[in-house]
Amino acid sequence: MNYRHGYHAGNFADVLKHTALCELLRLLTAKDKKLFVLDTHAGAGGYDLAGRLAQRTGEAEAGIARLASAPRTDMPPAVARYLAAVAAYDRKFGATDGKPRRYPGSPRLVRTALRPGDRFIACELHPEEVFLLKREFAGDRAVEVRQADGYKALKAVLPPIERRGLVLIDPPFEAADEYERLLRALRHAVRRFATGCYAVWYPIKDEAAAAFADELSALEPLTLEMRLGGIEPGRLAACGLSVINPPWRFEEAMREALPWIADRLGPGVSAAVRPPQAGRPAGKAAP
Ligand code: SAM
């Protein structure tokens, strides 16, 4: 396991995934019913954009830094809320000039949205990331950090007692069998907890990824995509987020937010929102 998310934190893929995550959390916590959240591949929880890893790639410059400095004219509410969450996290570390220095990972964004009584489990396997994740949430009883395989956790914790849940699956895709493992675990999870909302991030980079996206479409997700133009070979140029059972109004919010973000991230960047393919309408209400 070599992957460290610190190299990529705040890049265009995080911007897509975290804008969607914030909106999913907002919509799913709008109802006065308890919510369970599982982050199967949680990472470190927060990232130093001025640190060695982020500076090595500079990916955040073309992602969150560019978006945060864009003029706010006509900014869609989902983007404004995402940027507010990033800025609020950053302010905790003393930032005042609007240029993000610290970037919240998915567990931090989940934590911000939780209400008293909601439940959150964050799984991570890499020992250093687990150490950082535990430190990030030290003393916070609302977050259960598990040093555990996220796919096994899916089996162990679903269906949740709350009967309402959001599952984020965001693996590093460095293992050859990642696609296969993910699909197997996801199909099993959907069988056990059919009404859960599942958000699955994936890179769009080769034939294996295309075959994976094809297999995923059988689960009838709403699909979000973002593509960069003019990227040198070997760097991630496109990614997707498939959302199974998106809450009502999520698709509408993403149709408004993603093209706006793509325009601000620069020339050649494009975004797409594709409804479920097999005729089932998107925006099925969560129970
Ligand atoms: N979800 C995070 C976010 O949005 O801020 C980023 C997660 S990063 C893309 C993927 C993480 O999964 C890495 O930190 C890696 O160590 C971890 N990981 C790899 N295999 C895992 C597994 N089987 N179970 C849990 N975590 C795993």
Side-chain angles (χ1 to χ4, degrees):
M1 285 204 319
N2 296 316
Y3 183 92
R4 302 291 307 274
H5 195 64
Y7 288 109
H8 310 291
N11 69 0
F12 80 102
D14 265 7
V15 167
L16 168 71
K17 172 180 51 182
H18 293 157
T19 302
L21 177 64
C22 288
E23 193 61 12
L24 286 172
L25 287 160
R26 185 183 79 83
L27 293 167
L28 290 168
T29 54
K31 258 191 188 168
D32 189 20
K33 286 182 181 170
K34 287 182 183 161
L35 182 72
F36 169 70
V37 183
L38 173 64
D39 191 344
T40 58
H41 297 69
Y47 302 92
D48 180 4
L49 297 184
R52 187 177 54 84
L53 303 192
Q55 288 296 314
R56 174 91 70 87
T57 62
E59 289 185 17
E61 284 299 320
I64 185 61
R66 200 168 287 170
L67 190 67
S69 63
R72 302 200 157 212
T73 330
D74 303 327
M75 182 183 281
V79 184
R81 285 189 283 265
Y82 160 61
L83 288 179
V86 173
Y89 182 68
D90 211 18
R91 270 198 304 276
K92 292 204 320 182
F93 296 90
T96 51
D97 60 2
K99 187 174 172 353
R101 301 273 155 76
R102 293 273 316 180
Y103 184 79
S106 52
R108 210 6 109 188
L109 294 170
V110 172
R111 175 64 185 101
T112 306
L114 292 184
R115 305 155 302 173
D118 291 334
R119 205 157 56 90
F120 176 33
I121 298 177
C123 296
E124 171 58 49
L125 264 186
H126 194 294
E128 280 181 62
E129 304 294 81
V130 172
F131 170 80
L132 296 171
L133 188 59
K134 286 193 169 157
R135 194 177 65 180
E136 179 78 21
F137 294 109
D140 187 344
R141 296 178 59 180
V143 184
E144 183 182 337
V145 174
R146 287 191 188 176
Q147 179 158 20
D149 181 329
Y151 297 126
K152 289 192 179 146
L154 271 173
K155 250 189 179 163
V157 306
L158 298 184
I161 37 170
E162 294 84 354
R163 314 300 298 182
R164 296 181 73 242
L166 169 63
V167 178
L168 174 65
I169 306 179
D170 181 23
F173 291 94
E174 55 178 4
D177 66 347
E178 190 90 63
Y179 295 115
E180 215 177 298
R181 274 199 87 194
L182 196 165
L183 281 169
R184 206 178 321 123
L186 180 62
R187 288 192 191 110
H188 188 261
V190 170
R191 271 200 302 276
R192 285 168 65 97
F193 181 38
T195 55
C197 175
Y198 299 84
V200 181
W201 184 90
Y202 57 94
I204 300 175
K205 54 176 186 185
D206 53 20
E207 279 177 20
F212 169 76
D214 227 39
E215 294 272 349
L216 257 187
S217 66
L219 294 168
E220 299 173 29
L222 175 75
T223 301
L224 316 176
E225 282 182 10
M226 195 160 282
R227 293 173 189 272
L228 303 180
I231 284 291
E232 67 252 40
R235 298 194 82 163
L236 183 68
C239 67
L241 188 81
S242 283
V243 184
I244 300 167
N245 294 330
W248 189 54
R249 296 224 131 130
F250 176 71
E251 178 175 350
E252 190 182 317
M254 292 299 102
R255 283 193 185 282
E256 198 186 4
L258 298 190
W260 194 93
I261 291 176
D263 276 355
R264 299 317 177 277
L265 291 189
V269 183
S270 62
V273 177
R274 281 202 309 274
Q277 310 242 307
R280 193 192 61 142
K284 189 179 131 185

